[in-house]
Amino acid sequence: PNALANALGPPGVVRSSAQAPATAGRYAEAAKCLGAPASLEGCIEALVTLRADIGLPAGLAAAGVSESDQERLADEAFLDACHQLNPRPCTRGDLAALYRASW
C-alpha cells in the first residue's frame, strides 16, 4: 500500500510542494528530464502520463481506496516522521488534502 500511494500521489504532492521557496525551478527541471515543457504543469502532466504509461491506476479511487479511508490514512501518514522532511511545512490537514487530491 505504501509503494502504491507513493506512485499515485506525486502529481498532488508536486503541486503542494511547489509552494515552497526551496523548490523554485526544480519542477521545471524535472519536467525537462521527463521530456515535458519546463514548467510546474509540464512536470505534473508528465507524471500523470508516466503513471498511465506504466499501467498504474489514475488515482487512489481507481486503486480501490474508499473515500472514507482518507481521514484514517492522513492520521497514519502524520504519525510517520517522513513528512517533517518536506520542503514545505506539512500538517495533518495538508496530508488529508493530498489524499483528497490523489483520490
Side-chain angles (χ1 to χ4, degrees):
N2 185 43
L4 182 60
N6 286 336
L8 301 181
V13 170
V14 166
R15 187 173 304 285
S16 175
S17 293
Q19 299 172 28
T23 64
R26 291 184 177 183
Y27 292 122
E29 187 64 30
K32 286 190 330 189
C33 292
L34 292 166
S39 66
L40 172 63
E41 290 305 317
C43 183
I44 292 169
E45 289 175 23
L47 291 169
V48 169
T49 298
L50 176 62
R51 184 173 62 189
D53 287 350
I54 62 175
L56 291 174
L60 294 175
V65 175
S66 170
E67 187 173 13
S68 64
D69 288 333
Q70 292 177 23
E71 295 301 317
R72 178 185 55 80
L73 292 170
D75 289 339
E76 290 177 15
F78 193 69
L79 294 175
D80 186 322
C82 289
H83 69 84
Q84 295 172 3
L85 301 174
N86 197 49
R88 170 178 174 254
C90 189
T91 67
R92 189 246 174 244
D94 293 329
L95 292 168
L98 288 173
Y99 280 108
R100 285 189 298 276
S102 298
W103 191 74

